[in-house]
């Protein structure tokens, strides 16, 4: 095998794990696998019900937006049910009795006091799968998956640990998964916390499709390699020999586990034609990794029913998207107009909300009944340059007025998204849009929301904030899950800047 082919395989693995909204598994030892350890194996599980127990101080403030743990975990339980109706989560306080059949595995979060840790140790002694995160060493040293020690490396001489890893490779994989759980928790985002629960279920209890897809990406073998090289050899060679494309791949390879912010920042920093053609060929056209994903079925929020006393129609909903844009076709009576439709002031997707100065443009196309969405945003690249980027989505109305299907080719990978207009202020001071989507060829599904106003700032009245919270609740999103967009230095915006 030539050096170019070997390099091609390595960078293809990196890129395939990072496109669109994806996570990144940097090395084979970072795999998150649905297996037992010490000889067990969950691959034959039928996918029945799973109950995860979580021990916290319920009334204490969590790591997420100042919300109490009991509120955060109640929401996580709801999200687990959306992921799979058989998944559930139960919350326990320190020392609270846990019946032998009540839960299938236990996680302890933020139990730092040694006296509390001693109680939790006794509380969980009878359970085979237990992981403590951000907690006392008394608990961390007890971490185990299906009864096997996965606490941490370094407890035994290096040679002994190396032998154990060779004899019990599944234990090594499980220990890597535990490390990933701790890293996810440390990012202090709701999506990462939620994913950490899925990783625990996957490694300790039964396979989780969303996590298994990631395993599939990281475990690509000879047949996948043959597909890549035989069908996309020229695109691979072009990318690895192009400085910008190769830098993008190196950047992606430096991102840690499931770090969506880092991954998408790498992509936005080093966009290039070779990068797009590389992923378009390997992922979108030929699906060399055999991935698939669907738009999530839940939640199912309903769009706003009327605006300014008018019943919602497809035409009115489209005008709400157009918003403040200077467009003669809009029926909205606005005394002033802008060169954009909306400015985003907050959202739920951390990978995108990292970028400042997000301007939204919705407008009808030249073809009959065509409609387009063009978000423009600022990027501070990895090498400290300031650049503007954009995307272009085709927008089509769905059956219910106020609902739309978006489609976009983002750096070679197609994403489909279902958008809903949840609510808009009567004077268009703000609007809330939710979305669910999937990049099928990247094996990724996702949900989110965009909060937008004319000037990119939060509304000033408590009534408006409460109304926004109510609309987000319909989409299964809590205020403490949001990230605020930095709109402090956007004076150089121009629709012709790209």
């Amino acid at each position: 095998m030539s050096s170019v082919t070997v390099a091609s395989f390595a960078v293809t693995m990196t890129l395939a794990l990072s496109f669109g909204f994806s996570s990144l598994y940097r090395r084979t030892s970072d795999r998150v696998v649905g297996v037992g350890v010490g000889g067990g194996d969950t691959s034959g599980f039928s996918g029945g019900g799973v109950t995860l127990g979580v021990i916290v101080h319920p009334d204490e403030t969590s790591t997420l937006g100042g919300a109490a743990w009991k509120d955060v975990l109640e929401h996580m339980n709801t999200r687990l049910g959306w992921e799979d109706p058989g998944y559930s989560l139960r919350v326990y306080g320190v020392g609270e009795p846990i019946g032998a059949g009540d839960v299938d595995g236990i996680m302890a979060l933020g139990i730092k006091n040694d006296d509390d840790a001693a109680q939790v140790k006794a509380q969980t002694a009878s359970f085979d799968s237990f992981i403590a995160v951000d907690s006392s060493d008394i608990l961390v040293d007890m971490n185990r998956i299906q009864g096997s020690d996965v606490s941490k490396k370094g407890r035994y001489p290096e040679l002994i640990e190396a032998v154990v890893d060779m004899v019990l490779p599944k234990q090594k994989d499980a220990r890597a998964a535990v490390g990933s759980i701790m890293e996810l928790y440390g990012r202090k985002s709701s999506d990462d916390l939620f994913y950490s629960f899925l990783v625990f279920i996957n490694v300790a209890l039964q396979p989780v499709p969303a996590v298994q897809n990631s395993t599939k990406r990281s475990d690509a073998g000879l047949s996948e390699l043959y597909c890549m090289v035989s069908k996309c050899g020229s695109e691979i060679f072009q990318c690895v020999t192009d400085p910008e494309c190769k830098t993008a791949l190196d950047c992606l390879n430096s991102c840690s586990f499931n770090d969506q912010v880092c991954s998408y920042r790498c992509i936005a920093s080093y966009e290039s034609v070779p990068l797009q053609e590389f992923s378009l060929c390997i992922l979108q056209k030929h699906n060399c990794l055999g991935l698939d994903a669907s738009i999530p079925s839940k939640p199912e929020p309903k769009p706003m029913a009327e605006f300014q006393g008018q019943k919602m129609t497809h035409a009115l909903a489209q005008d709400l998207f157009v918003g403040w844009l200077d467009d003669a076709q809009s029926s909205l009576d606005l005394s002033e107009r802008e060169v954009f439709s909306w400015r985003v002031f907050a959202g739920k997707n951390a990978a995108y909300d990292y970028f400042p100065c997000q301007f939204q443009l919705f407008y009808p196309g030249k073809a009959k009944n065509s409609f387009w969405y063009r978000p423009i945003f600022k990027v501070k690249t990895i090498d400290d340059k300031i650049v503007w980027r954009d995307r272009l989505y085709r927008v089509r109305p769905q059956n219910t007025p106020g609902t739309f299907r978006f489609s976009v080719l983002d750096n070679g990978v197609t994403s489909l998204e279902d958008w809903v207009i949840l609510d808009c202020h009567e004077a268009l001071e703000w609007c809330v849009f939710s979305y669910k989507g999937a990049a099928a060829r990247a094996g990724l599904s996702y949900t989110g929301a965009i909060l937008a106003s004319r000037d990119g700032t939060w509304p000033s009245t408590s009534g408006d904030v409460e109304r926004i919270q109510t609309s987000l609740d319909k989409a299964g999103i809590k205020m403490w899950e949001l990230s605020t967009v930095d709109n402090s230095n956007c004076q150089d915006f121009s629709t012709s800047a790209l």
Side-chain angles (χ1 to χ4, degrees):
M1 188 180 296
S2 71
S3 60
V4 171
T5 300
V6 173
S8 301
F9 178 71
V11 298
T12 299
M13 290 300 94
T14 300
L15 188 65
L17 302 174
S18 306
F19 265 97
F21 305 84
S22 96
S23 55
L24 187 67
Y25 290 73
R26 291 170 49 203
R27 301 173 298 276
T28 303
S29 61
D30 287 334
R31 288 179 300 161
V32 178
V33 289
V35 297
V37 291
D41 193 326
T42 68
S43 59
F45 279 28
S46 61
V50 168
T51 300
L52 175 62
V54 180
I55 300 174
V56 293
H57 294 291
D59 294 321
E60 287 191 0
T61 301
S62 72
T63 58
L64 302 178
W69 271 121
K70 61 183 179 182
D71 297 326
V72 169
L73 294 175
E74 179 182 356
H75 184 53
M76 292 294 124
N77 179 52
T78 299
R79 291 186 62 177
L80 283 172
W82 291 336
E83 183 74 20
D84 187 311
Y87 296 165
S88 63
L89 182 152
R90 292 185 182 179
V91 182
Y92 294 90
V94 172
E96 184 176 347
I98 306 175
D102 290 346
V103 298
D104 300 292
I106 300 177
M107 293 178 66
L109 307 179
I111 308 299
K112 300 178 181 180
N113 179 275
D114 286 348
D115 290 337
D116 291 341
Q119 291 190 63
V120 172
K121 181 179 178 180
Q123 185 181 6
T124 60
S126 63
F127 291 89
D128 289 339
S129 294
F130 168 80
I131 299 297
V133 183
D134 190 29
S135 296
S136 165
D137 284 344
I138 292 174
L139 295 179
V140 173
D141 287 344
M142 298 301 297
N143 282 350
R144 56 196 180 272
I145 296 294
Q146 295 187 12
S148 293
D149 175 22
V150 291
S151 55
K152 56 187 175 182
K153 297 198 70 171
R155 297 184 65 186
Y156 307 105
E158 185 174 346
L159 178 60
I160 294 178
E161 287 191 339
V163 172
V164 171
D165 286 345
M166 286 191 295
V167 175
L168 298 173
K170 292 178 180 179
Q171 182 167 325
K172 177 183 177 182
D173 290 337
R175 190 167 56 237
V178 172
S180 298
I181 289 171
M182 293 183 176
E183 185 174 341
L184 288 163
Y185 176 90
R187 296 202 191 122
K188 301 179 180 180
S189 81
S190 64
D191 286 340
D192 284 321
L193 177 63
F194 174 70
Y195 198 73
S196 74
F197 294 149
L198 295 184
V199 171
F200 178 82
I201 293 171
N202 185 72
V203 74
L205 305 175
Q206 69 178 42
V208 176
V211 182
Q212 291 287 302
N213 242 339
S214 297
T215 305
K216 187 176 182 180
R217 292 196 293 266
S218 65
D219 287 345
L222 291 178
S223 62
E224 290 83 2
L225 176 59
Y226 178 77
C227 173
M228 298 171 198
V229 175
S230 63
K231 295 181 178 180
C232 304
S234 62
E235 288 82 1
I236 292 173
F237 182 80
Q238 184 181 12
C239 184
V240 298
T241 57
D242 176 82
E244 195 81 354
C245 191
K246 181 60 166 61
T247 300
L249 299 181
D250 291 341
C251 180
L252 290 166
N253 196 44
S254 71
C255 294
S256 57
F257 175 77
N258 197 47
D259 193 340
Q260 298 180 17
V261 173
C262 176
S263 298
Y264 203 76
R265 188 183 178 202
C266 289
I267 293 171
S269 293
Y270 301 112
E271 291 183 358
S272 66
V273 173
L275 187 66
Q276 177 171 320
E277 292 179 347
F278 179 89
S279 59
L280 180 65
C281 184
I282 292 171
L283 297 177
Q284 193 62 42
K285 287 184 177 180
H286 299 291
N287 193 18
C288 287
L289 298 181
L291 299 172
D292 193 19
S294 301
I295 297 175
S297 60
K298 294 182 179 181
E300 300 178 275
K302 294 182 179 180
M304 61 187 306
E306 60 179 38
F307 177 74
Q308 293 181 346
Q310 300 181 57
K311 183 179 179 180
M312 186 59 63
T313 64
H314 290 303
L316 178 56
Q318 184 170 298
D319 286 344
L320 291 175
F321 270 146
V322 171
W324 292 95
L325 183 67
D326 190 3
D327 181 358
Q329 297 185 45
S330 175
S331 65
L332 299 180
D333 183 16
L334 298 172
S335 59
E336 298 179 1
R337 294 281 183 171
E338 302 284 359
V339 295
F340 53 83
S341 300
W342 297 98
R343 296 183 63 183
V344 179
F345 61 85
K348 180 176 175 292
N349 190 307
Y352 286 118
D353 298 334
Y354 176 90
F355 300 112
C357 305
Q358 299 181 40
F359 293 81
Q360 314 287 299
L361 281 73
F362 291 90
Y363 54 91
K366 294 180 180 179
K368 184 178 180 181
N369 297 325
S370 64
F371 194 66
W372 298 91
Y373 165 51
R374 183 189 177 200
I376 302 175
F377 52 96
K378 183 180 283 189
V379 175
K380 183 178 182 181
T381 66
I382 304 297
D383 49 3
D384 290 328
K385 297 178 182 177
I386 301 297
V387 297
W388 288 93
R389 301 296 194 200
D390 71 343
R391 301 290 182 261
L392 187 62
Y393 294 70
R394 182 184 293 274
V395 181
R396 294 184 174 91
Q398 300 290 78
N399 291 332
T400 303
T403 63
F404 295 82
R405 169 63 58 88
F406 285 37
S407 60
V408 63
L409 184 68
D410 189 344
N411 283 279
V413 177
T414 296
S415 292
L416 300 177
E417 300 176 358
D418 289 341
W419 282 55
V420 177
I421 301 178
L422 296 175
D423 197 6
C424 288
H425 186 272
E426 289 74 12
L428 282 194
E429 292 184 10
W430 50 263
C431 270
V432 180
F433 312 123
S434 70
Y435 59 84
K436 302 183 294 183
R441 291 296 184 257
L444 300 163
S445 302
Y446 50 90
T447 62
I450 285 176
L451 284 63
S453 64
R454 181 182 181 182
D455 60 2
T457 62
W458 278 86
S460 57
T461 68
S462 59
D464 283 339
V465 173
E466 290 176 4
R467 184 170 156 185
I468 288 173
Q469 183 172 359
T470 299
S471 68
L472 288 172
D473 282 341
K474 294 193 300 181
I477 297 171
K478 302 300 181 183
M479 294 287 280
W480 44 262
E481 293 186 280
L482 301 178
S483 300
T484 296
V485 175
D486 181 5
N487 287 314
S488 62
N489 189 22
C490 308
Q491 297 85 351
D492 56 336
F493 166 76
S494 169
T495 56
S496 60
L498 295 157

